[in-house]
Amino acid sequence: MKRTDGGSIDFHSSKYKNIQMKEFFRLLKREFKLFIGNSTLRTVFFLAPVFYATLLGFVYKSGKVENTPVLVVDRDNTPLSNQLTEMLDDNKSIKIIRYLQEPLSIKDEVIRHEAAAVVIIPSRFEGDMLQKKYPELNVYINTGNVLTANFASKALQLTIGTFSAGASIKALQKAGMPAAKAVTQYEPFKANYITLFNTTGNYLIFMWPAMLAVVLQQVILLAMAVSFAAEFERGSFVKEYLKMKKWAFPTMLIKVIPIWVFSILIVGIYYFMHMIFHVPMPEGIFNFILLTAVFVGSVSFLGVFISILIPDALKATQILMVIASPAFIISGFTWPLSAMPAFVQFIANIIPLTPFLQAFKILLIQKGSVELTFPYLKHLSILLVVYAVIGWIALKIKLWFIFKKAAPQEIAVENASSEDVE
């Protein structure tokens, strides 16, 4: 169409873009229907996070390990040894199982009672204490379970230390020394130990939110594993995406937008469960929302890249699970990255969960300044861009190969559509 001033208006381009946008929204609507209509995806994406969040919440609900069995073998059985045993039993972290006679096999008793430690009070304990001969207690820690061993060891050190200090001060007082001076003689200087971050040692606050992030990454990767691969397998991609063959990035968005939308629902459920289990929310909630959004984006683009690269849905799922399974262990959340070999650190740093959990720990457990999370947010943003770009390149190449091999009648449909536009 020509204008009277000699200019021209090209309606072809605008109509073509309108058709492409209509196609984009049609395919996006189709993607939502496919997602909701897939019972496996529904179960994995919606039920699994709720199930794991509830299960793990109840697992760690107490926050602390209490009433851990500890065996006390009292070879002395005197008022002073009885007093020590009673003091140990008053500590809520441990539960004392007392033996007045030494069992045939202490190791067997430890296994039978699942005891975290054994305290052996020697014979002549009281006599040696009164004669200032400094008797020795033997404490055996069962490190078969490091967690319960640490809790039991801490409780025993506190109680035995208190008893030892009290006994020493009492002996000095009996010798005629004033109480105030007796304390200084026993303790020439005072050390104050002040805990920082999660001061109660609550394991629920430490582990539960981190495990929810692990589950979220797992379900996103599982959902994305079949996004492109399933289309390639059943041969529906060429037919459905024929008009989008030149739009690689919008095609990627069609696959990830439903994941992003439903991830908001999952994070909302997590927030509700924080209130149920009385777990505090992270500091800087808006920064946390941004951090979570970038995390979800980077994980979904990683899933897109693998799904495009591996045309078999089952193999894509297996590969993504191989990536996701050790993610928490190598994330540096429970074991420092600096203590890992360089190649493990490299693998950890290309998995989105690693920087997310590092920033999450600052916001939730350490209650640090928001600025301290910026390096991890930058790390996540780089991963998001890298996975989006390599996913786009992989899809661009994939589209070229797929439509190059497309059947002639399918290309004819595209040509006919183009003629309609003109």
Side-chain angles (χ1 to χ4, degrees), residues 91-207:
N91 192 314
K92 292 182 180 180
S93 297
I94 55 179
K95 180 180 69 176
I96 296 302
I97 300 173
R98 191 181 183 197
Y99 292 81
L100 294 178
Q101 292 183 346
E102 190 164 338
L104 294 175
S105 173
I106 292 178
K107 288 183 178 179
D108 287 348
E109 292 300 307
V110 168
I111 296 169
R112 183 175 291 111
H113 293 285
E114 298 181 352
V118 180
V119 179
I120 296 182
I121 303 174
S123 56
R124 288 198 50 79
F125 174 73
E126 184 177 76
D128 288 346
M129 285 280 290
L130 295 175
Q131 294 175 26
K132 297 184 180 178
K133 290 185 178 180
Y134 305 107
E136 293 183 359
L137 289 179
N138 288 326
V139 179
Y140 299 90
I141 304 296
N142 176 11
T143 51
N145 185 319
V146 177
L147 176 65
T148 55
N150 287 337
F151 275 110
S153 178
K154 186 177 178 181
L156 290 172
Q157 286 176 21
L158 177 65
T159 305
I160 293 172
T162 303
F163 175 82
S164 177
S168 298
I169 293 168
K170 194 171 182 180
L172 290 171
Q173 285 181 279
K174 283 184 178 180
M177 187 178 291
K181 190 175 180 181
V183 172
T184 59
Q185 288 293 313
Y186 172 75
E187 190 178 48
F189 68 91
K190 192 172 184 179
N192 295 318
Y193 296 91
I194 303 168
T195 56
L196 298 174
F197 318 133
N198 193 14
T199 54
T200 60
N202 192 307
Y203 215 67
L204 175 68
I205 295 174
F206 176 67
M207 283 293 292

Side-chain angles (χ1 to χ4, degrees), residues 38 40-41 44-45 217-233 302-326:
N38 189 316
T40 303
L41 278 179
V44 168
F45 207 83
Q217 178 175 266
Q218 293 269 38
V219 297
I220 290 174
L221 289 177
L222 278 170
M224 295 312 305
V226 298
S227 58
F228 281 98
E231 296 270 19
F232 297 149
E233 266 191 314
L302 170 61
V304 163
F305 173 64
I306 299 297
S307 188
I308 293 168
L309 212 59
I310 311 296
D312 184 287
L314 179 59
K315 287 182 180 178
T317 303
Q318 291 170 342
I319 289 172
L320 285 170
M321 285 305 96
V322 167
I323 294 171
S325 296

Side-chain angles (χ1 to χ4, degrees), residues 10 16 40 84 88 208 214 278 281 328 346-347 365 374 408:
D10 188 0
Y16 182 76
T40 303
L84 174 58
L88 290 170
W208 185 71
V214 174
H278 306 290
M281 288 299 293
F328 180 70
F346 173 77
I347 295 170
I365 298 173
F374 288 169

Side-chain angles (χ1 to χ4, degrees), residues 11 68 99 119 130 175 202 227 238-239 286 302 363 408-409 411:
F11 288 109
T68 304
Y99 292 81
V119 179
L130 295 175
N202 192 307
S227 58
V238 172
K239 179 182 176 183
F286 292 109
L302 170 61
L363 294 176
Q409 61 267 26
I411 300 300

